[in-house]
Amino acid sequence: VPRREQGVYVISVAAELTGVHPQTLRIYERKGLVEPARTGGGSRRYSDTDIALLRRIQELTNVGLNLEGVRRVLELEAEVERLQREVDRLGKESADAVEQAHKEHRRELVPLNQAMVLYRRGGNGPAPS
Amino acid sequence: VPRREQGVYVISVAAELTGVHPQTLRIYERKGLVEPARTGGGSRRYSDTDIALLRRIQELTNVGLNLEGVRRVLELEAEVERLQREVDRLGKESADAVEQAHKEHRRELVPLNQAMVLYRRGGNGPAPS
DNA sequence: GTGACCTTAACGACGCGTAATTGTGG
DNA sequence: GCCACAATTACGCGTCGTTAAGGTCA
């Protein structure tokens, strides 16, 4: 079980790691961009994935996006990633499906000349390697 | 040849059609979000596709995006659309490829028992329908 | 010559980040 | 009891949309 998802950084450390002001981190949470875990006492605990997300947010704001834009861009980037995986999967699947079709035929059929040889020899089963 | 790409609307009409202030349209052009055609005299001419784009920009700014965010979102939406087409294409292609593989085998191979019959008859070509 | 277009400049409103304040938990 | 975190408020700066002013084409 990886511990990466567990919140380990308090807000001041998260601020250091990402170069974002602690107060700004609270704003990001209020706007729903990040959702760090909370301790029983109510303190925020940022996980490594939270840190990575915050760094991405930082990149986007640094090139001039506002927070609403950041939200939409993150959503769309996730969509792009999902579709890219789908394309990769379908690419392999297509090749595999063709291969599978060939194999089926190889199991059930034999070339005519080979069949004739088998027949002449009295062979009855089409058992090629 | 469709005329949709030809610029037909002057800036005041484009402003009416999109609900965007003429001066704002000039800002959008300066920021590279739209590139309407120009007449010899230097006047802008907006095409129907320009109008559609402006309406999309309007939607995005109305939900709170700034212009840099609009630019990135439009890019990502184009990317999503491209990938979606790719997924559709690969889906069909996969099925077609399997079909093609089957057909190839049907042309080159014959079932063993049918081959024997052909051989007995003195047939030489494997020409099943 | 009038009106619509062009450009640049100025104004007002809003969003974002930071700092200040007060309260609370470890 | 001290230091860090939590929440709210206030301030400064930049962006965006609109308006204003002056010049040009039809």
mmCIF file of all heavy atoms in Angstrom, chain D residues 7-19:
data_model
loop_
_atom_site.group_PDB
_atom_site.id
_atom_site.type_symbol
_atom_site.label_atom_id
_atom_site.label_comp_id
_atom_site.label_asym_id
_atom_site.label_seq_id
_atom_site.Cartn_x
_atom_site.Cartn_y
_atom_site.Cartn_z
ATOM 1 P P DA D 7 -10.732 27.017 8.301
ATOM 2 O OP1 DA D 7 -11.913 26.127 8.380
ATOM 3 O OP2 DA D 7 -9.860 27.015 7.116
ATOM 4 O "O5'" DA D 7 -11.241 28.523 8.535
ATOM 5 C "C5'" DA D 7 -11.978 28.830 9.714
ATOM 6 C "C4'" DA D 7 -12.232 30.324 9.779
ATOM 7 O "O4'" DA D 7 -10.993 30.997 10.090
ATOM 8 C "C3'" DA D 7 -12.737 30.927 8.462
ATOM 9 O "O3'" DA D 7 -13.990 31.571 8.668
ATOM 10 C "C2'" DA D 7 -11.661 31.923 8.048
ATOM 11 C "C1'" DA D 7 -10.894 32.173 9.333
ATOM 12 N N9 DA D 7 -9.471 32.432 9.120
ATOM 13 C C8 DA D 7 -8.588 31.672 8.397
ATOM 14 N N7 DA D 7 -7.363 32.154 8.372
ATOM 15 C C5 DA D 7 -7.456 33.314 9.136
ATOM 16 C C6 DA D 7 -6.497 34.274 9.498
ATOM 17 N N6 DA D 7 -5.221 34.231 9.118
ATOM 18 N N1 DA D 7 -6.916 35.314 10.273
ATOM 19 C C2 DA D 7 -8.199 35.356 10.642
ATOM 20 N N3 DA D 7 -9.192 34.504 10.360
ATOM 21 C C4 DA D 7 -8.738 33.494 9.605
ATOM 22 P P DT D 8 -14.775 32.241 7.401
ATOM 23 O OP1 DT D 8 -16.212 31.979 7.608
ATOM 24 O OP2 DT D 8 -14.111 31.833 6.145
ATOM 25 O "O5'" DT D 8 -14.493 33.799 7.615
ATOM 26 C "C5'" DT D 8 -14.574 34.333 8.929
ATOM 27 C "C4'" DT D 8 -14.084 35.767 8.951
ATOM 28 O "O4'" DT D 8 -12.638 35.788 8.920
ATOM 29 C "C3'" DT D 8 -14.542 36.631 7.762
ATOM 30 O "O3'" DT D 8 -15.168 37.806 8.255
ATOM 31 C "C2'" DT D 8 -13.270 36.926 6.988
ATOM 32 C "C1'" DT D 8 -12.206 36.830 8.071
ATOM 33 N N1 DT D 8 -10.857 36.452 7.587
ATOM 34 C C2 DT D 8 -9.779 37.237 7.928
ATOM 35 O O2 DT D 8 -9.876 38.232 8.622
ATOM 36 N N3 DT D 8 -8.570 36.805 7.433
ATOM 37 C C4 DT D 8 -8.362 35.685 6.638
ATOM 38 O O4 DT D 8 -7.237 35.395 6.254
ATOM 39 C C5 DT D 8 -9.530 34.918 6.314
ATOM 40 C C7 DT D 8 -9.408 33.693 5.461
ATOM 41 C C6 DT D 8 -10.718 35.329 6.790
ATOM 42 P P DT D 9 -15.744 38.914 7.211
ATOM 43 O OP1 DT D 9 -16.897 39.554 7.881
ATOM 44 O OP2 DT D 9 -15.889 38.286 5.890
ATOM 45 O "O5'" DT D 9 -14.557 39.981 7.115
ATOM 46 C "C5'" DT D 9 -14.002 40.540 8.317
ATOM 47 C "C4'" DT D 9 -12.893 41.493 7.976
ATOM 48 O "O4'" DT D 9 -11.719 40.738 7.572
ATOM 49 C "C3'" DT D 9 -13.188 42.467 6.827
ATOM 50 O "O3'" DT D 9 -12.969 43.803 7.265
ATOM 51 C "C2'" DT D 9 -12.223 42.053 5.711
ATOM 52 C "C1'" DT D 9 -11.093 41.394 6.501
ATOM 53 N N1 DT D 9 -10.323 40.366 5.747
ATOM 54 C C2 DT D 9 -8.952 40.446 5.717
ATOM 55 O O2 DT D 9 -8.319 41.327 6.278
ATOM 56 N N3 DT D 9 -8.328 39.445 4.994
ATOM 57 C C4 DT D 9 -8.951 38.405 4.325
ATOM 58 O O4 DT D 9 -8.288 37.578 3.714
ATOM 59 C C5 DT D 9 -10.387 38.382 4.396
ATOM 60 C C7 DT D 9 -11.150 37.301 3.708
ATOM 61 C C6 DT D 9 -11.011 39.351 5.097
ATOM 62 P P DA D 10 -13.163 45.037 6.258
ATOM 63 O OP1 DA D 10 -13.622 46.184 7.068
ATOM 64 O OP2 DA D 10 -13.946 44.584 5.089
ATOM 65 O "O5'" DA D 10 -11.675 45.326 5.775
ATOM 66 C "C5'" DA D 10 -10.657 45.537 6.746
ATOM 67 C "C4'" DA D 10 -9.341 45.896 6.053
ATOM 68 O "O4'" DA D 10 -8.766 44.686 5.502
ATOM 69 C "C3'" DA D 10 -9.474 46.882 4.899
ATOM 70 O "O3'" DA D 10 -8.368 47.786 4.916
ATOM 71 C "C2'" DA D 10 -9.426 45.987 3.663
ATOM 72 C "C1'" DA D 10 -8.475 44.893 4.129
ATOM 73 N N9 DA D 10 -8.636 43.608 3.447
ATOM 74 C C8 DA D 10 -9.796 42.924 3.222
ATOM 75 N N7 DA D 10 -9.632 41.795 2.590
ATOM 76 C C5 DA D 10 -8.265 41.725 2.381
ATOM 77 C C6 DA D 10 -7.449 40.770 1.762
ATOM 78 N N6 DA D 10 -7.907 39.650 1.219
ATOM 79 N N1 DA D 10 -6.117 41.004 1.729
ATOM 80 C C2 DA D 10 -5.655 42.137 2.270
ATOM 81 N N3 DA D 10 -6.325 43.105 2.880
ATOM 82 C C4 DA D 10 -7.636 42.837 2.903
ATOM 83 P P DC D 11 -8.378 49.094 3.994
ATOM 84 O OP1 DC D 11 -8.037 50.226 4.869
ATOM 85 O OP2 DC D 11 -9.623 49.089 3.195
ATOM 86 O "O5'" DC D 11 -7.155 48.863 3.001
ATOM 87 C "C5'" DC D 11 -5.839 48.634 3.542
ATOM 88 C "C4'" DC D 11 -4.940 48.075 2.460
ATOM 89 O "O4'" DC D 11 -5.410 46.758 2.080
ATOM 90 C "C3'" DC D 11 -4.889 48.909 1.176
ATOM 91 O "O3'" DC D 11 -3.567 49.353 0.951
ATOM 92 C "C2'" DC D 11 -5.394 47.959 0.091
ATOM 93 C "C1'" DC D 11 -5.151 46.587 0.711
ATOM 94 N N1 DC D 11 -6.061 45.519 0.204
ATOM 95 C C2 DC D 11 -5.513 44.422 -0.488
ATOM 96 O O2 DC D 11 -4.294 44.373 -0.665
ATOM 97 N N3 DC D 11 -6.344 43.448 -0.941
ATOM 98 C C4 DC D 11 -7.664 43.540 -0.731
ATOM 99 N N4 DC D 11 -8.434 42.562 -1.190
ATOM 100 C C5 DC D 11 -8.228 44.649 -0.031
ATOM 101 C C6 DC D 11 -7.398 45.598 0.414
ATOM 102 P P DG D 12 -3.264 50.344 -0.278
ATOM 103 O OP1 DG D 12 -2.212 51.271 0.167
ATOM 104 O OP2 DG D 12 -4.549 50.849 -0.794
ATOM 105 O "O5'" DG D 12 -2.632 49.375 -1.384
ATOM 106 C "C5'" DG D 12 -1.478 48.599 -1.058
ATOM 107 C "C4'" DG D 12 -1.006 47.832 -2.281
ATOM 108 O "O4'" DG D 12 -1.932 46.749 -2.542
ATOM 109 C "C3'" DG D 12 -0.916 48.653 -3.566
ATOM 110 O "O3'" DG D 12 0.262 48.280 -4.266
ATOM 111 C "C2'" DG D 12 -2.190 48.272 -4.327
ATOM 112 C "C1'" DG D 12 -2.432 46.846 -3.861
ATOM 113 N N9 DG D 12 -3.845 46.457 -3.807
ATOM 114 C C8 DG D 12 -4.887 47.226 -3.332
ATOM 115 N N7 DG D 12 -6.040 46.608 -3.390
ATOM 116 C C5 DG D 12 -5.738 45.372 -3.935
ATOM 117 C C6 DG D 12 -6.588 44.282 -4.237
ATOM 118 O O6 DG D 12 -7.812 44.180 -4.071
ATOM 119 N N1 DG D 12 -5.874 43.205 -4.778
ATOM 120 C C2 DG D 12 -4.521 43.205 -4.994
ATOM 121 N N2 DG D 12 -4.004 42.102 -5.521
ATOM 122 N N3 DG D 12 -3.714 44.218 -4.720
ATOM 123 C C4 DG D 12 -4.395 45.262 -4.197
ATOM 124 P P DC D 13 0.657 49.037 -5.608
ATOM 125 O OP1 DC D 13 2.119 49.242 -5.556
ATOM 126 O OP2 DC D 13 -0.276 50.172 -5.812
ATOM 127 O "O5'" DC D 13 0.345 47.966 -6.749
ATOM 128 C "C5'" DC D 13 0.811 46.622 -6.579
ATOM 129 C "C4'" DC D 13 0.198 45.738 -7.649
ATOM 130 O "O4'" DC D 13 -1.174 45.438 -7.297
ATOM 131 C "C3'" DC D 13 0.159 46.373 -9.042
ATOM 132 O "O3'" DC D 13 0.788 45.509 -9.970
ATOM 133 C "C2'" DC D 13 -1.333 46.553 -9.326
ATOM 134 C "C1'" DC D 13 -1.956 45.472 -8.469
ATOM 135 N N1 DC D 13 -3.364 45.737 -8.070
ATOM 136 C C2 DC D 13 -4.340 44.760 -8.278
ATOM 137 O O2 DC D 13 -4.008 43.689 -8.790
ATOM 138 N N3 DC D 13 -5.622 45.007 -7.906
ATOM 139 C C4 DC D 13 -5.941 46.185 -7.347
ATOM 140 N N4 DC D 13 -7.210 46.385 -7.000
ATOM 141 C C5 DC D 13 -4.967 47.201 -7.126
ATOM 142 C C6 DC D 13 -3.698 46.935 -7.494
ATOM 143 P P DG D 14 1.095 45.974 -11.469
ATOM 144 O OP1 DG D 14 2.489 45.616 -11.769
ATOM 145 O OP2 DG D 14 0.612 47.369 -11.606
ATOM 146 O "O5'" DG D 14 0.152 45.047 -12.351
ATOM 147 C "C5'" DG D 14 0.218 43.614 -12.177
ATOM 148 C "C4'" DG D 14 -1.015 42.980 -12.810
ATOM 149 O "O4'" DG D 14 -2.189 43.368 -12.061
ATOM 150 C "C3'" DG D 14 -1.256 43.402 -14.263
ATOM 151 O "O3'" DG D 14 -1.424 42.251 -15.060
ATOM 152 C "C2'" DG D 14 -2.515 44.272 -14.197
ATOM 153 C "C1'" DG D 14 -3.212 43.755 -12.946
ATOM 154 N N9 DG D 14 -4.020 44.769 -12.270
ATOM 155 C C8 DG D 14 -3.612 46.017 -11.869
ATOM 156 N N7 DG D 14 -4.560 46.702 -11.287
ATOM 157 C C5 DG D 14 -5.653 45.853 -11.299
ATOM 158 C C6 DG D 14 -6.960 46.048 -10.805
ATOM 159 O O6 DG D 14 -7.434 47.036 -10.241
ATOM 160 N N1 DG D 14 -7.761 44.927 -11.030
ATOM 161 C C2 DG D 14 -7.344 43.773 -11.648
ATOM 162 N N2 DG D 14 -8.248 42.799 -11.787
ATOM 163 N N3 DG D 14 -6.126 43.577 -12.109
ATOM 164 C C4 DG D 14 -5.338 44.658 -11.907
ATOM 165 P P DT D 15 -1.680 42.377 -16.651
ATOM 166 O OP1 DT D 15 -0.853 41.324 -17.291
ATOM 167 O OP2 DT D 15 -1.525 43.800 -17.021
ATOM 168 O "O5'" DT D 15 -3.215 41.994 -16.815
ATOM 169 C "C5'" DT D 15 -3.708 40.848 -16.125
ATOM 170 C "C4'" DT D 15 -5.207 40.740 -16.319
ATOM 171 O "O4'" DT D 15 -5.883 41.718 -15.491
ATOM 172 C "C3'" DT D 15 -5.678 40.995 -17.756
ATOM 173 O "O3'" DT D 15 -6.638 40.016 -18.098
ATOM 174 C "C2'" DT D 15 -6.279 42.392 -17.686
ATOM 175 C "C1'" DT D 15 -6.827 42.418 -16.268
ATOM 176 N N1 DT D 15 -6.976 43.773 -15.667
ATOM 177 C C2 DT D 15 -8.165 44.117 -15.065
ATOM 178 O O2 DT D 15 -9.116 43.368 -15.002
ATOM 179 N N3 DT D 15 -8.192 45.376 -14.549
ATOM 180 C C4 DT D 15 -7.175 46.316 -14.561
ATOM 181 O O4 DT D 15 -7.320 47.425 -14.060
ATOM 182 C C5 DT D 15 -5.957 45.886 -15.208
ATOM 183 C C7 DT D 15 -4.788 46.825 -15.279
ATOM 184 C C6 DT D 15 -5.915 44.648 -15.720
ATOM 185 P P DC D 16 -7.128 39.860 -19.606
ATOM 186 O OP1 DC D 16 -7.261 38.410 -19.878
ATOM 187 O OP2 DC D 16 -6.263 40.697 -20.439
ATOM 188 O "O5'" DC D 16 -8.584 40.492 -19.590
ATOM 189 C "C5'" DC D 16 -9.537 40.016 -18.651
ATOM 190 C "C4'" DC D 16 -10.763 40.896 -18.676
ATOM 191 O "O4'" DC D 16 -10.470 42.132 -17.993
ATOM 192 C "C3'" DC D 16 -11.250 41.268 -20.078
ATOM 193 O "O3'" DC D 16 -12.605 40.895 -20.238
ATOM 194 C "C2'" DC D 16 -11.047 42.776 -20.155
ATOM 195 C "C1'" DC D 16 -11.053 43.194 -18.696
ATOM 196 N N1 DC D 16 -10.258 44.420 -18.397
ATOM 197 C C2 DC D 16 -10.811 45.426 -17.599
ATOM 198 O O2 DC D 16 -11.959 45.282 -17.151
ATOM 199 N N3 DC D 16 -10.081 46.534 -17.335
ATOM 200 C C4 DC D 16 -8.846 46.655 -17.824
ATOM 201 N N4 DC D 16 -8.162 47.764 -17.524
ATOM 202 C C5 DC D 16 -8.264 45.639 -18.632
ATOM 203 C C6 DC D 16 -9.003 44.552 -18.896
ATOM 204 P P DG D 17 -13.285 40.987 -21.694
ATOM 205 O OP1 DG D 17 -14.137 39.794 -21.855
ATOM 206 O OP2 DG D 17 -12.208 41.272 -22.663
ATOM 207 O "O5'" DG D 17 -14.226 42.265 -21.589
ATOM 208 C "C5'" DG D 17 -15.239 42.302 -20.596
ATOM 209 C "C4'" DG D 17 -15.767 43.716 -20.459
ATOM 210 O "O4'" DG D 17 -14.706 44.575 -19.994
ATOM 211 C "C3'" DG D 17 -16.280 44.330 -21.756
ATOM 212 O "O3'" DG D 17 -17.628 44.763 -21.576
ATOM 213 C "C2'" DG D 17 -15.332 45.504 -22.036
ATOM 214 C "C1'" DG D 17 -14.741 45.801 -20.672
ATOM 215 N N9 DG D 17 -13.379 46.320 -20.724
ATOM 216 C C8 DG D 17 -12.299 45.769 -21.357
ATOM 217 N N7 DG D 17 -11.198 46.458 -21.219
ATOM 218 C C5 DG D 17 -11.581 47.543 -20.434
ATOM 219 C C6 DG D 17 -10.802 48.631 -19.958
ATOM 220 O O6 DG D 17 -9.604 48.875 -20.138
ATOM 221 N N1 DG D 17 -11.580 49.504 -19.200
ATOM 222 C C2 DG D 17 -12.918 49.344 -18.923
ATOM 223 N N2 DG D 17 -13.495 50.283 -18.175
ATOM 224 N N3 DG D 17 -13.642 48.328 -19.372
ATOM 225 C C4 DG D 17 -12.911 47.469 -20.117
ATOM 226 P P DT D 18 -18.446 45.380 -22.824
ATOM 227 O OP1 DT D 18 -19.858 44.978 -22.656
ATOM 228 O OP2 DT D 18 -17.709 45.036 -24.054
ATOM 229 O "O5'" DT D 18 -18.339 46.952 -22.613
ATOM 230 C "C5'" DT D 18 -18.686 47.498 -21.346
ATOM 231 C "C4'" DT D 18 -18.200 48.938 -21.246
ATOM 232 O "O4'" DT D 18 -16.754 48.955 -21.258
ATOM 233 C "C3'" DT D 18 -18.640 49.840 -22.398
ATOM 234 O "O3'" DT D 18 -19.596 50.783 -21.908
ATOM 235 C "C2'" DT D 18 -17.355 50.518 -22.891
ATOM 236 C "C1'" DT D 18 -16.358 50.192 -21.793
ATOM 237 N N1 DT D 18 -14.952 50.041 -22.253
ATOM 238 C C2 DT D 18 -14.004 50.955 -21.842
ATOM 239 O O2 DT D 18 -14.267 51.894 -21.113
ATOM 240 N N3 DT D 18 -12.739 50.714 -22.322
ATOM 241 C C4 DT D 18 -12.341 49.683 -23.160
ATOM 242 O O4 DT D 18 -11.181 49.572 -23.540
ATOM 243 C C5 DT D 18 -13.385 48.772 -23.554
ATOM 244 C C7 DT D 18 -13.073 47.606 -24.451
ATOM 245 C C6 DT D 18 -14.623 48.986 -23.085
ATOM 246 P P DT D 19 -20.272 51.794 -22.948
ATOM 247 O OP1 DT D 19 -21.590 52.137 -22.386
ATOM 248 O OP2 DT D 19 -20.144 51.238 -24.308
ATOM 249 O "O5'" DT D 19 -19.336 53.096 -22.876
ATOM 250 C "C5'" DT D 19 -18.995 53.650 -21.604
ATOM 251 C "C4'" DT D 19 -17.987 54.780 -21.767
ATOM 252 O "O4'" DT D 19 -16.694 54.216 -22.114
ATOM 253 C "C3'" DT D 19 -18.319 55.784 -22.872
ATOM 254 O "O3'" DT D 19 -18.317 57.098 -22.323
ATOM 255 C "C2'" DT D 19 -17.213 55.606 -23.912
ATOM 256 C "C1'" DT D 19 -16.083 55.029 -23.073
ATOM 257 N N1 DT D 19 -15.117 54.186 -23.822
ATOM 258 C C2 DT D 19 -13.785 54.499 -23.810
ATOM 259 O O2 DT D 19 -13.334 55.461 -23.203
ATOM 260 N N3 DT D 19 -12.982 53.646 -24.542
ATOM 261 C C4 DT D 19 -13.381 52.536 -25.263
ATOM 262 O O4 DT D 19 -12.579 51.862 -25.874
ATOM 263 C C5 DT D 19 -14.799 52.274 -25.238
ATOM 264 C C7 DT D 19 -15.339 51.100 -25.990
ATOM 265 C C6 DT D 19 -15.601 53.096 -24.529
#
